[in-house]
Amino acid sequence: MNQNKHRNDAEPTKPAFFSKTVVDDDKPPPYVHLAYNVDPDLEHDENELNDVHHNQPVYLNYNDTEESLISHHPFDNTCKFPIIATYPEDLSSYRVGERLRRLKCENKEFPMASQDSEGYLYVHNHWEHFKNITTDVKCKILIIEGGLRNPITNKGKDVFTPVKVYDAIVNKRLWINADSYLVRCEREGELVWEKPFAGMRDVNKLKNTMTVEKDVNSLNPYGLKLRKAPEIVPDRYSVDVIGFDSTARTMFFRHMPRTVDTMNKLGYHFLYGYNKVGDNSEINLGPIFAGDIPEHKLQPKFDISGDLNMDWIFPQHSKLNPDNIQFLWKLMKEKYGCRTMLNEDISRKFYGLFTYPAYEYLPGFTELPTDHYYRAYYLAVYNKWKYGPCKNSEQVQREFLDLWYRFGQKYKNICHFGFTFFTTLTHESGLLLETLDEYLASRLAQLNMTGALDNSLSMIMSDHGNRLGPQQYTFSGRVEERMPLMAIRLPNDFARKYPTEYAHFLKNKFKLTSNFDIHQTLKDIVTMRMGQKNVVREGRGLSLFTDIPKDRTCRDVHVVYNFCTCMIDRSNDTNVSPQDKRKYVVGDTRPERVRQKSQEAINNWLQETELNKCVNSTSLEIKDKINTLSVNPYVRHGFRKQTNLTNNENLKIWRHKLDYFYYEMEVSATTVSGDAISMLFRIEQEVKRKLFNVVFEPFVQIAPQQCYRPSLIETCSCLLKGFKQTTVPNIK
């Protein structure tokens, strides 16, 4: 294909299945059988109790002074992205649904040095444990540096080197003014214990030094409390980001319940329509932290399939020099003088974001990219060790998390940008993430208590969902892979200072968004351009602080079709390949059957949530048109790319494996006060167990003017409590 043809912005020819599902017969049968590949002899009780979707009575004391929880309804979008249950049936088996609340590491050795929560070091090589004395052991502190590329040889990123050595002072509170160091203990020249530590050097003091510090700085030597200088509030917002590899929003909900509960209390907002733009970490993190880079314009916009070229989204075969990439932390440091940190759990010494693989990047930075860069520390951690949850008899990831915590505490009164990224716990599965749940929740609570969150945009996110574990073969796993975790907490005074931007933000968390939108949002914070008129935002993406259109498509947010979660019409899909002779457990989608089961599901939902106090169940009427939706075949089959045209053609004969169907329908009813109300319901059909359930909550389309809200719960709160509003009803 002519490359020049790729370079224009004309809409390309859409790949197969882009606008509708291709089926084997242009004339569908009178009704459609849905297939699910399970043991045909397995019995399924149609009335089986579905504890996964158990609903609870809702709180109906909402009043008009409270912030709406659904200021824009996710069903009110052109893109019908799926909202799957937190505990879906196909992710509840023992292989993918294991729960592990606490991790116990085998105690193979006793530590001879340890750090406190502020990063001070204590060396205790004599008294190891009660009644045991370690004799003749001498410890040294080796400050290490490295992890940088030699610009001449292009080597060095995988090497660390001791640059200074100190004899350890025992049983004192030591400050090692370096970011990375080792404590090495020997007896008569033989190594008996060694461990890497991560410090956080004071950039205003001489680096690579060791000093003895007071245990309590707030008291004089006799215990009298000292006055402290008043804290200075910076005139710029800061950015604190912590990321977990391969973690979907719903996976995070499943395995981090205490953290999620804490985040909700602290005011974090989860993005429900956030869709990744590419396959792996590099292509998903680059657009967030670097946005558009000049090299992408050198690539053709479309590939041979007619869809967006992945190298145009973010170059993956250009051997980029990471020194030249204008990361947001670089902008914040160089232009605004803020402190910066890049804290990446590399998992193996030759890996690393923005330094690997060789066809994407030159091997490493040639100089420190941030004030605190921890590659040398992680090289020491992973030296002759393959990653796992335990090291030195402890859960090593807690130490990685503490760097994120200490950076936020240290610079809470100084503008800063910190990025911490975990790989080892979640790259293969989500099980071990749960072992950090209560620890992360407590760290968040402490940051809030000390005011470290007050002036920062705090973001807890992922690059993508799980791509490697057994869950990837399930329907819900395919969706989760494409809809990663993205949660944002805004500075305490943001809503007061920038009410327009805040109102847009609340609506946009329920709209289709992608990585480039996050970049524009972070850039707004970095450059402090909120509240300004006629702001020109260069590059792709729309800030969450602007009015994002609800009619966006995957093409608008630069998401290729095989990663696009916008559901398509599957009403004529037989779900069975004529070449596949196996037997399947089937369910049918005859219109009268769907209507009957949907009516039952809605009635049950109203009763369980006690919203039947507001909506008269006997007055429910499902309108004639019911839309049948599910993900496109490229998504369900887990395509990583579309450039294999043979595989694209095979989709026409492969079974589409539609384990879940979603039916959208308009439902009219009357309220208990006799007023008319119209709602858009989405019903999930789980084919395997023949279950129908209400998804999320319905979108209110028409309601009494004084009580209209997109949320049925909030609308009913108004109708039952009688408070007044001036909002005009949003009639579809």
Side-chain angles (χ1 to χ4, degrees):
M1 188 177 289
N2 187 339
Q3 284 197 353
N4 291 328
K5 200 171 183 180
H6 284 302
R7 296 181 185 274
N8 62 53
D9 291 330
E11 189 78 6
T13 302
K14 294 180 179 179
F17 307 110
F18 209 101
S19 57
K20 65 178 182 179
T21 304
V22 175
V23 294
D24 299 305
D25 188 350
D26 291 333
K27 295 181 180 180
Y31 60 91
V32 179
H33 286 288
L34 307 182
Y36 194 92
N37 187 13
V38 295
D39 185 352
D41 296 325
L42 181 65
E43 293 185 1
H44 294 271
D45 182 0
E46 194 161 343
N47 297 315
E48 179 180 0
L49 177 63
N50 184 10
D51 56 351
V52 171
H53 293 270
H54 180 67
N55 295 296
Q56 297 177 337
V58 298
Y59 178 72
L60 289 172
N61 284 328
Y62 176 88
N63 62 69
D64 59 349
T65 62
E66 295 181 64
E67 183 177 281
S68 173
L69 295 181
I70 308 178
S71 53
H72 174 84
H73 202 286
F75 297 172
D76 188 23
N77 294 306
T78 297
C79 171
K80 301 296 183 180
F81 52 81
I83 300 179
I84 62 174
T86 302
Y87 300 94
E89 188 276 338
D90 57 351
L91 291 183
S92 299
S93 70
Y94 76 94
R95 289 184 179 274
V96 294
E98 289 287 314
R99 305 294 300 274
L100 180 62
R101 293 301 298 168
R102 292 187 180 273
L103 183 69
K104 289 188 176 181
C105 296
E106 184 180 356
N107 193 1
K108 296 181 178 180
E109 56 189 16
F110 291 94
M112 295 189 174
S114 56
Q115 269 185 337
D116 64 17
S117 62
E118 297 176 80
Y120 289 90
L121 178 71
Y122 299 80
V123 179
H124 35 77
N125 57 306
H126 296 303
W127 291 88
E128 275 304 290
H129 52 294
F130 188 62
K131 293 185 178 180
N132 287 295
I133 300 175
T134 305
T135 59
D136 301 324
V137 172
K138 304 295 183 183
C139 297
K140 294 184 180 296
I141 298 168
L142 293 78
I143 295 175
I144 59 174
E145 294 179 354
L148 298 175
R149 170 174 59 93
N150 183 311
I152 299 175
T153 65
N154 271 347
K155 296 181 179 180
K157 82 172 178 70
D158 302 333
V159 178
F160 68 92
T161 306
V163 295
K164 204 160 190 177
V165 180
Y166 291 97
D167 291 326
I169 302 174
V170 178
N171 296 322
K172 295 292 183 181
R173 193 184 196 210
L174 303 179
W175 179 254
I176 312 301
N177 202 37
D179 286 337
S180 307
Y181 58 91
L182 294 170
V183 175
R184 180 177 293 167
C185 300
E186 298 179 346
R187 178 190 287 116
E188 298 179 354
E190 181 180 350
L191 180 67
V192 295
W193 189 83
E194 181 178 279
K195 182 180 176 180
F197 288 90
M200 191 164 291
R201 69 183 180 89
D202 187 334
V203 296
N204 296 315
K205 295 181 179 179
L206 185 64
K207 75 172 188 176
N208 298 343
T209 56
M210 179 180 72
T211 55
V212 178
E213 302 290 335
K214 292 172 58 178
D215 278 324
V216 183
N217 290 319
S218 59
L219 302 177
N220 75 4
Y222 297 93
L224 180 64
K225 182 178 179 179
L226 301 175
R227 294 186 184 276
K228 64 177 183 178
E231 294 185 347
I232 300 174
V233 179
D235 58 358
R236 309 189 66 81
Y237 288 146
S238 295
V239 178
D240 288 295
V241 181
I242 183 169
F244 296 93
D245 201 334
S246 306
T247 303
R249 172 177 51 84
T250 40
M251 173 180 149
F252 194 79
F253 287 173
R254 284 195 299 275
H255 291 292
M256 303 290 277
R258 300 289 71 78
T259 298
V260 171
D261 190 42
T262 301
M263 290 169 67
N264 282 331
K265 292 175 182 176
L266 297 182
Y268 282 83
H269 297 267
F270 292 90
L271 271 59
Y272 287 80
Y274 181 64
N275 201 127
K276 71 173 187 176
V277 295
D279 187 24
N280 59 18
S281 299
E282 303 292 346
I283 194 172
N284 285 302
L285 294 177
I288 292 176
F289 296 108
D292 285 335
I293 61 175
E295 290 83 355
H296 101 272
K297 296 180 180 179
L298 303 177
Q299 306 297 325
K301 185 172 182 179
F302 305 112
D303 62 24
I304 60 174
S305 74
D307 208 341
L308 294 176
N309 177 15
M310 300 307 294
D311 281 318
W312 179 82
I313 292 175
F314 198 83
Q316 300 176 83
H317 300 86
S318 300
K319 288 197 171 184
L320 300 172
N321 184 346
D323 291 331
N324 297 335
I325 299 176
Q326 295 301 306
F327 294 108
L328 287 174
W329 54 74
K330 187 175 184 179
L331 171 64
M332 207 161 183
K333 176 183 178 180
E334 294 180 354
K335 188 170 183 178
Y336 304 110
C338 304
R339 297 303 179 197
T340 55
M341 177 184 73
L342 179 54
N343 170 34
E344 182 213 351
D345 168 18
I346 60 176
S347 76
R348 294 186 183 183
K349 69 176 186 177
F350 46 86
Y351 288 169
L353 294 174
F354 317 120
T355 62
Y356 168 92
Y359 56 81
E360 289 192 38
Y361 296 98
L362 293 179
F365 297 93
T366 61
E367 57 185 22
L368 295 177
T370 52
D371 292 306
H372 304 283
Y373 181 52
Y374 288 97
R375 185 169 181 85
Y377 163 69
Y378 286 102
L379 288 173
V381 169
Y382 291 109
N383 185 35
K384 299 179 182 179
W385 180 65
K386 183 180 179 181
Y387 71 80
C390 294
K391 193 175 194 296
N392 299 110
S393 304
E394 299 174 304
Q395 185 175 13
V396 67
Q397 288 83 10
R398 291 193 175 201
E399 298 177 16
F400 306 164
L401 182 67
D402 279 344
L403 280 172
W404 163 78
Y405 169 79
R406 279 153 50 193
F407 183 76
Q409 292 283 31
K410 183 179 182 70
Y411 293 114
K412 66 180 180 180
N413 297 321
I414 301 172
C415 71
H416 59 270
F417 192 117
F419 176 41
T420 292
F421 192 71
F422 281 79
T423 298
T424 50
L425 274 183
T426 54
H427 192 260
E428 275 74 38
S429 69
L431 168 64
L432 290 175
L433 175 62
E434 192 158 342
T435 62
L436 270 185
D437 183 22
E438 294 181 37
Y439 192 69
L440 177 55
S442 67
R443 284 306 198 207
L444 279 171
Q446 288 172 313
L447 287 172
N448 179 65
M449 181 179 65
T450 61
L453 297 177
D454 292 356
N455 205 53
S456 293
L457 180 147
S458 176
M459 193 163 85
I460 301 178
M461 50 82 70
S462 182
D463 47 358
H464 48 73
N466 190 278
R467 301 164 56 245
L468 301 177
Q471 60 265 45
Q472 68 172 306
Y473 300 106
T474 66
F475 178 94
S476 299
R478 296 298 193 198
V479 173
E480 286 196 342
E481 179 193 337
R482 288 153 175 79
M483 303 192 80
L485 167 69
M486 181 59 67
I488 296 174
R489 182 191 187 275
L490 298 173
N492 286 5
D493 62 1
F494 189 93
R496 176 179 58 81
K497 283 186 173 181
Y498 310 109
T500 301
E501 286 86 345
Y502 184 63
H504 289 321
F505 174 79
L506 293 181
K507 291 183 178 181
N508 292 334
K509 68 180 183 177
F510 292 113
K511 296 179 182 178
L512 177 65
T513 54
S514 77
N515 311 52
F516 289 103
D517 301 322
I518 303 303
H519 175 79
Q520 293 289 0
T521 305
L522 293 178
K523 196 166 185 179
D524 280 352
I525 294 290
V526 169
T527 59
M528 294 295 290
R529 60 190 180 188
M530 296 80 63
Q532 300 178 14
K533 295 182 179 180
N534 303 319
V535 174
V536 177
R537 293 177 174 85
E538 298 179 351
R540 291 169 287 183
L542 299 176
S543 170
L544 297 177
F545 302 142
T546 64
D547 185 13
I548 292 179
K550 66 180 183 180
D551 61 353
R552 293 178 111 187
T553 65
C554 280
R555 180 60 57 83
D556 295 324
V557 297
H558 313 293
V559 173
V560 293
Y561 195 56
N562 51 299
F563 295 132
C564 176
T565 57
C566 299
M567 295 188 290
I568 62 174
D569 179 13
R570 306 308 292 264
S571 56
N572 293 329
D573 198 322
T574 63
N575 200 28
V576 180
S577 166
Q579 299 181 8
D580 194 340
K581 305 302 182 183
R582 290 174 292 178
K583 295 181 179 180
Y584 300 98
V585 172
V586 298
D588 66 68
T589 56
R590 289 172 293 181
E592 63 272 20
R593 176 70 165 170
V594 170
R595 189 176 297 273
Q596 173 200 345
K597 301 302 291 184
S598 297
Q599 183 102 18
E600 293 174 4
I602 294 171
N603 280 326
N604 290 338
W605 182 80
L606 289 172
Q607 182 177 353
E608 291 171 0
T609 59
E610 296 186 0
L611 284 169
N612 56 358
K613 296 177 181 177
C614 169
V615 178
N616 189 339
S617 300
T618 60
S619 67
L620 292 173
E621 180 182 350
I622 299 175
K623 300 298 184 181
D624 291 338
K625 184 179 181 181
I626 297 178
N627 294 320
T628 303
L629 305 169
S630 197
V631 297
N632 74 66
Y634 288 90
V635 170
R636 183 59 189 92
H637 283 275
F639 272 42
R640 304 275 180 220
K641 56 186 178 181
Q642 297 177 78
T643 51
N644 187 328
L645 300 183
T646 301
N647 277 348
N648 295 352
E649 285 298 312
N650 286 338
L651 275 183
K652 297 178 182 179
I653 60 174
W654 289 348
R655 188 173 64 86
H656 293 162
K657 299 196 295 186
L658 296 175
D659 325 72
Y660 291 84
F661 276 74
Y662 296 91
Y663 303 102
E664 280 199 350
M665 60 199 71
E666 292 186 26
V667 179
S668 63
T670 57
T671 66
V672 290
S673 60
D675 295 302
I677 189 169
S678 178
M679 302 158 286
L680 182 67
F681 273 87
R682 183 181 292 179
I683 307 297
E684 175 191 85
Q685 181 188 14
E686 182 191 320
V687 174
K688 179 181 178 181
R689 297 194 295 176
K690 304 179 183 179
L691 295 174
F692 287 70
N693 292 286
V694 172
V695 175
F696 202 68
E697 68 163 282
F699 166 43
V700 177
Q701 297 173 306
I702 301 175
Q705 178 172 335
Q706 71 274 16
C707 283
Y708 175 78
R709 293 267 181 160
S711 163
L712 178 60
I713 295 172
E714 294 174 8
T715 298
C716 283
S717 294
C718 170
L719 292 171
L720 294 176
K721 296 298 179 183
F723 71 77
K724 304 297 181 182
Q725 280 186 228
T726 59
T727 306
V728 177
N730 180 15
I731 300 176
K732 191 173 180 181

